[in-house]
Amino acid sequence: MNQKHSPQSCCCEKPSQELIGIQIAAEPPKIDDQQNEVCCGSPPGPESSRFEKPGYALLGFVEAFVQKPTGSVPRVKTALRWRDRVGTIRARLGIRRARYKIAPGLYCVGEPDAQAPVLVTANYKLTFDELRTNLKDISAWILVLDTRGINVWCAAGKDLFSTAELINRVERSKLKEVVSHKKLILPQLAATGVAAHVIKKELGFKVVYGPVRARDIPKFLANDLTTEPAMRKVTFSLLERMILIPVELAHLPKPSFWILLGAFVVSGIGTHFFSFSAAWLRGVMLAVAYGTGILAGAVITPMLLPWIPGRSFAVKGAIIGAISSAGIVLWFRNDLGILAALALMLCTTAVGSYLAMNFTGSTPFTSPSGVEKEMRKAMPLQASALLMALIVWVGAAFVG
């Protein structure tokens, strides 16, 4: 839904108290469904919402509009609908995740007045949904920044949840005319992107950093914007790590198609130049090694992350990859020579190391500079291991 709303639209002509209610005071004329069914073949569908505007789509999470001198402000629901849940599942699976965002601007929950708190968040819809669903029975303003559909923490690191964007959004929403206080509540994980002293100087607003998790916001507001130590602590539990696994796997189908196709082609090369039977038999083994590397790096390593030795994610993935590759060698031991077994072990270890290293971008364990440093060291070794695996695998076919 476009964030601009005409103040002349029908829903804004009524007093704000009427806008807040869901029920319509005057009952619409009743329609004879039976007669309509006889004439048209089916009963009529639901009537249009009185909050719809010609030319605009009313999004499911918008409940109504609150009229302010600065314009109409969408009031959002604090409960997820089935469309929201489907969207969440799709985003978790990496389907159109980069486009799962809402229009930036000013929103609200409940019946906020000039003294209501202002909560600032990103326009990634998963982030927005997490915030609004934790604001049940709370009246507040929600200022959504344009973070290009990226979550708070990543957007702060990419200079999208930034000082400049916050200043721009406060001015464009005319927030000074909506609230009488001078406080903006920002997520703690946005601190790396926002200079609080600049906001104070440019806007006159004081930045208050709230808790890490949205579920702690009600208690934070009830305690006069005071956090407890646990609210400042970033967690990365087993469940939180498992939630991220589908996103890591979502990037693999397309490159994996070409990788597996190449694996079957090189597996057919041998003393007879090319053998289709060898391409299938040896290709299956190489495909299993590749798939096991994916399992080791993108699934097992994230799950066992705290218990795997070493600080480097690439090393952690290599350890799990090497252990997993030993199982492959044992499984195919009757069909493998020493060289072929070495090739499979190198392949699984390298793939596991690379995918585990990619997981660093989803964790609170490393900084952006730390990730870059690790990648510069690990990627040449991973590429060398894969190249060696390819050479040894082809060479094994000639050795017999």
Side-chain angles (χ1 to χ4, degrees), residues 72-362:
S72 55
V73 179
R75 184 196 301 118
V76 298
K77 301 171 184 177
T78 56
L80 298 181
R81 301 170 69 246
W82 70 270
R83 289 183 181 274
D84 299 316
R85 299 185 186 281
V86 171
T88 296
I89 294 173
R90 291 176 59 186
R92 293 296 187 193
L93 294 175
I95 302 173
R96 298 174 64 88
R97 188 167 181 257
R99 299 185 182 183
Y100 198 51
K101 57 187 178 180
I102 66 169
L106 188 63
Y107 297 77
C108 70
V109 290
E111 303 179 18
D113 55 20
Q115 292 295 323
V118 179
L119 302 166
V120 185
T121 191
N123 75 327
Y124 180 38
K125 191 166 183 293
L126 277 186
T127 301
F128 179 73
D129 286 348
E130 182 68 18
L131 175 60
R132 67 186 175 96
T133 53
N134 281 282
L135 297 178
K136 185 179 180 181
D137 300 326
I138 292 176
S139 294
W141 303 101
I142 302 176
L143 185 64
V144 177
L145 305 190
D146 185 2
T147 60
R148 319 291 176 82
I150 299 176
N151 66 71
V152 171
W153 197 0
C154 294
K158 294 176 180 291
D159 200 30
L160 296 174
F161 199 115
S162 64
T163 303
E165 169 58 15
L166 180 56
I167 292 174
N168 172 61
R169 203 55 54 185
V170 168
E171 291 177 342
R172 291 184 63 176
S173 64
K174 300 179 181 178
L175 188 62
K176 291 182 180 180
E177 300 177 36
V178 176
V179 297
S180 58
H181 60 79
K182 295 295 181 180
K183 289 182 181 179
L184 298 173
I185 302 173
L186 272 63
Q188 178 181 311
L189 298 182
T192 56
V194 177
H197 67 283
V198 176
I199 300 299
K200 180 69 175 178
K201 179 180 178 181
E202 296 292 329
L203 298 174
F205 279 90
K206 176 184 178 182
V207 171
V208 178
Y209 288 105
V212 170
R213 292 167 292 275
R215 65 173 179 264
D216 292 326
I217 289 178
K219 189 173 183 180
F220 170 74
L221 295 176
N223 291 342
D224 195 24
L225 308 188
T226 301
T227 58
E228 298 175 357
M231 296 182 184
R232 295 293 189 198
K233 186 177 180 180
V234 176
T235 61
F236 200 43
S237 65
L238 174 61
L239 178 60
E240 290 169 331
R241 297 195 299 275
M242 290 179 64
I243 288 175
L244 296 172
I245 290 174
V247 177
E248 298 300 316
L249 295 175
H251 304 293
L252 296 176
K254 187 174 181 179
S256 291
F257 171 79
W258 296 107
I259 291 172
L260 292 175
L261 180 62
F264 278 91
V265 171
V266 299
S267 295
I269 300 174
T271 54
H272 300 290
F273 184 67
F274 188 87
S275 168
F276 285 99
S277 60
W280 173 251
L281 294 175
R282 300 183 76 233
V284 167
M285 290 188 285
L286 192 56
V288 170
Y290 173 72
T292 303
I294 292 176
L295 183 65
V299 180
I300 299 176
T301 300
M303 291 177 64
L304 302 181
L305 193 63
W307 303 285
I308 304 174
R311 293 181 59 86
S312 168
F313 280 65
V315 171
K316 289 175 181 286
I319 291 173
I320 299 300
I323 294 173
S324 302
S325 67
I328 298 175
V329 171
L330 288 174
W331 182 265
F332 292 116
R333 62 184 180 276
N334 295 330
D335 302 310
L336 290 174
I338 295 177
L339 289 180
L342 176 61
L344 293 184
M345 294 184 72
L346 284 172
C347 174
T348 302
T349 302
V351 172
S353 176
Y354 177 77
L355 292 178
M357 183 185 65
N358 277 356
F359 195 72
T360 57
S362 303

